[in-house]
Amino acid sequence: MYLYSANFWTALIDSRGMFFEAAQMTLALTAVSILIAIVIGLMFAFMKISKIKPLEWLANIYIYVVRGTPLIVQIFVFYYGLTEVWMISGFWSVALGLAFHNGAYIAEIFRGSIQSIGKGQTEAGRSLGMSGTLTMRRIILPQAFRRALPPLGNQFIIGLKDSSLAAFIGVSEIFAVATTQGANTFDYMTWLLVSAVWYLILVFLLTLVVSAIEKKMAVSD
Amino acid sequence: MSEQMIQVNKLNKSFGDLHVLKDIDFHVEESEVVVLIGASGSGKSTMLRCLNFLEMKNSGELFIKGEQIDPKKDNLNKVRQQVGMVFQHFNLFPHMTVLGNVIEAPTQVKGISKSQAKKEGQELLEKVGLGDKANDYPSRLSGGQKQRVAIARALAMKPEIMLFDEPTSALDPELVGEVLATMKDLAKEGMTMVVVTHEMGFAREVADRVVYMHDGKIVESGAPKDLFENPQEERTQAFLSSIL
């Protein structure tokens, strides 16, 4: 094993078109799966804090299963399982697999942040004649979402990097392109390093977006 | 006799094994200012919170403006619109501006237009002396200013009764006066008020009636002059001598 690559810079520059396309695929996978995961996460967070016990149990089982099994297994189950009954592309089975996976972690993030908002806020809303739902939507969730942002940003980054597992079912995202290039040139190290640079760029951009949102929401401090 | 704004008969409330309110009979008349005093743990805050159903009574009857309220059948959101509440820790909405706090319930609950709510909200803020703070966030305000915003926020729903749960207990001593002054103005305008407080000066000066609670029961109640200067019950005498 060697950590030196003579071709690294030329490879990085010459392959930019190919990887730019692959990066778009990675971003699309990340964006779609995160958006769905946020919806799933919010839903299961509400189920977990619900007073209806069966809903809470269901949420617990979901979170237990997701946290207790490897992501690659989940993605393969989605790919082979889903495509048996419903002809969807590799892209969508990975996107749904990632959403299913991240949804559980995001559910816990939302649950924690919702419960961290003091009881006094709910009481203030209710004492003004607001319904429970209205209080949740107008008073609790905006504050909870703000508190959830730092851990959410973290989860987004994990989701972005985990999208590399799509390579195993033939989606041409960054890692897939890198391994194909490596196999073709018998020079894996160069291409793995190139893919690493692209991931670093994407994570950097994602971090910028999250901190911009955090800053925007910090006006009330 | 003036209209009964609040009437409570044989009210009981327990938290688990803890029997907090024991067969409370209580009433408040229109435009009356009633101050509840007593040691902590005597049940005065719980009693206040039962009046707008932040705590649910276990038994007893509760009438607001002559109508008996059944939490299972009646729309408590409607009832609460008539009963404003001010909390010890203000509980302002930190993600909204001062004016945003004030117009939130009128626009969201009553469906009043934003421009109308803003106009009325601004007037209320002027009234509590904070007209220039409308666009600030609560984090920029002092405790006394926060509490005055909280009062304006409750008033924005045009309630007929205002409940105050130790409104000055979380304030630095030099900020207590401005909040009490705002409450005094409100009392002068004829607002019906129930106030839990340790400010005996306020009770003496503003209250029509002072109610002393001990161990979940009303021990004694009367005009402030009578209760403070000539308490009939031993418990009341002991409490007053411990704080005055």
Side-chain angles (χ1 to χ4, degrees):
Chain A
M1 192 93 155
Y2 61 102
L3 263 176
Y4 169 75
S5 169
N7 303 319
F8 175 70
W9 293 107
T10 31
L12 181 66
I13 291 159
D14 291 347
S15 66
R16 63 186 183 279
M18 192 181 354
F19 274 95
F20 185 67
E21 234 168 78
Q24 286 173 314
M25 181 59 90
T26 294
L27 273 185
L29 258 183
T30 310
V32 168
S33 61
I34 291 282
L35 281 178
I36 301 173
I38 288 176
V39 176
I40 296 177
L42 205 52
M43 203 172 79
F44 279 93
F46 282 134
M47 284 167 65
K48 243 199 120 154
I49 54 181
S50 154
K51 287 187 193 101
I52 305 165
K53 283 287 158 194
L55 289 182
E56 191 195 330
W57 296 332
L58 208 65
N60 282 334
I61 291 169
Y62 163 64
I63 291 165
Y64 177 70
V65 168
V66 168
R67 286 208 288 213
T69 56
L71 173 56
I72 188 75
V73 173
Q74 293 164 15
I75 288 176
F76 271 71
V77 167
F78 264 79
Y79 181 56
Y80 290 112
L82 268 185
T83 47
E84 286 270 308
V85 290
W86 181 26
M87 270 318 291
I88 54 169
S89 61
F91 175 88
W92 277 101
S93 54
V94 181
L96 291 178
L98 282 171
F100 172 78
H101 178 83
N102 284 307
Y105 290 94
I106 291 176
E108 285 292 60
I109 291 172
F110 277 142
R111 179 189 62 84
S113 66
I114 289 171
Q115 288 179 334
S116 78
I117 305 299
K119 210 176 73 182
Q121 290 290 306
T122 307
E123 289 184 349
R126 299 307 303 272
S127 76
L128 288 164
M130 297 170 79
S131 69
T133 322
L134 188 63
T135 305
M136 179 54 80
R137 182 165 64 79
R138 296 282 307 174
I139 310 301
I140 306 301
L141 280 185
Q143 297 181 61
F145 184 71
R146 218 196 116 186
R147 266 185 216 182
L149 255 181
L152 268 185
N154 222 9
Q155 195 60 39
F156 294 168
I157 289 172
I158 293 171
L160 189 146
K161 293 187 295 181
D162 282 349
S163 73
S164 58
L165 292 170
F168 292 104
I169 50 178
V171 177
S172 314
E173 46 65 70
I174 295 174
F175 184 63
V177 170
T179 46
T180 310
Q181 286 296 108
N184 291 345
T185 59
F186 301 105
D187 184 8
Y188 273 103
M189 189 50 65
T190 298
W191 296 103
L192 287 175
L193 291 177
V194 169
S195 76
V197 169
W198 281 90
Y199 278 112
L200 282 170
I201 294 170
L202 293 189
V203 168
F204 177 69
L205 293 177
L206 189 56
T207 313
L208 284 187
V209 172
V210 172
S211 59
I213 300 174
E214 270 182 56
K215 215 170 259 168
K216 210 181 147 199
M217 297 190 88
V219 286
S220 58
D221 283 343
Chain B
M1 189 175 142
S2 51
E3 191 186 352
Q4 300 271 320
M5 292 299 267
I6 300 173
Q7 171 82 44
V8 170
N9 299 331
K10 297 258 173 284
L11 184 80
N12 279 279
K13 172 71 188 171
S14 300
F15 295 108
D17 291 337
L18 194 66
H19 199 174
V20 184
L21 297 178
K22 301 165 183 168
D23 282 335
I24 297 270
D25 292 318
F26 176 71
H27 71 277
V28 182
E29 284 162 28
E30 191 176 348
S31 294
E32 197 181 18
V33 177
V34 176
V35 169
L36 302 178
I37 60 171
S40 48
S42 58
K44 50 197 194 313
S45 279
T46 305
M47 155 107 141
L48 198 70
R49 291 161 59 83
C50 281
L51 298 180
N52 72 345
F53 301 92
L54 284 183
E55 304 291 353
M56 294 298 170
K57 63 185 167 59
N58 294 111
S59 67
E61 295 172 319
L62 213 163
F63 298 81
I64 305 281
K65 289 178 69 187
E67 271 181 58
Q68 186 169 4
I69 311 296
D70 179 353
K72 289 194 189 77
K73 287 195 209 122
D74 293 309
N75 185 346
L76 294 182
N77 299 329
K78 281 262 184 278
V79 177
R80 292 193 184 110
Q81 289 177 37
Q82 304 174 50
V83 187
M85 182 148 190
V86 173
F87 300 88
Q88 181 178 1
H89 296 288
F90 331 127
N91 300 352
L92 292 182
F93 307 135
H95 57 303
M96 297 176 184
T97 62
V98 163
L99 188 58
N101 267 272
V102 177
I103 68 169
E104 175 66 12
T107 53
Q108 295 291 325
V109 178
K110 282 189 173 167
I112 289 169
S113 76
K114 225 174 174 176
S115 56
Q116 177 67 19
K118 275 187 177 171
K119 198 176 135 258
E120 292 178 11
Q122 187 65 39
E123 282 166 14
L124 280 170
L125 287 174
E126 308 280 353
K127 193 172 133 181
V128 299
L130 294 170
D132 55 333
K133 301 287 184 192
N135 296 317
D136 284 355
Y137 282 93
S139 57
R140 306 261 318 262
L141 304 183
S142 73
Q145 291 171 331
K146 281 182 191 167
Q147 195 60 298
R148 284 186 282 153
V149 173
I151 293 171
R153 178 177 71 176
L155 290 176
M157 287 300 279
K158 303 196 170 79
E160 302 193 42
I161 302 164
M162 285 282 282
L163 310 177
F164 294 84
D165 190 4
E166 303 202 21
T168 58
S169 298
L171 297 177
D172 292 338
E174 76 271 22
L175 302 176
V176 169
E178 59 189 73
V179 172
L180 292 182
T182 305
M183 290 167 63
K184 228 176 274 177
D185 289 344
L186 206 54
K188 259 185 227 146
E189 287 169 24
M191 176 64 79
T192 307
M193 294 163 64
V194 184
V195 184
V196 171
T197 187
H198 297 291
E199 294 294 329
M200 294 305 146
F202 177 83
R204 212 183 271 270
E205 195 182 337
V206 184
D208 296 306
R209 193 150 50 89
V210 178
V211 173
Y212 170 64
M213 285 183 72
H214 178 79
D215 196 23
K217 289 181 192 138
I218 292 178
V219 175
E220 187 169 353
S221 91
K225 202 170 172 336
D226 300 336
L227 192 117
F228 284 124
E229 278 156 32
N230 194 14
Q232 299 299 305
E233 302 285 331
E234 218 172 294
R235 285 266 173 218
T236 320
Q237 290 162 9
F239 175 74
L240 289 174
S241 64
S242 72
I243 55 158
L244 292 178

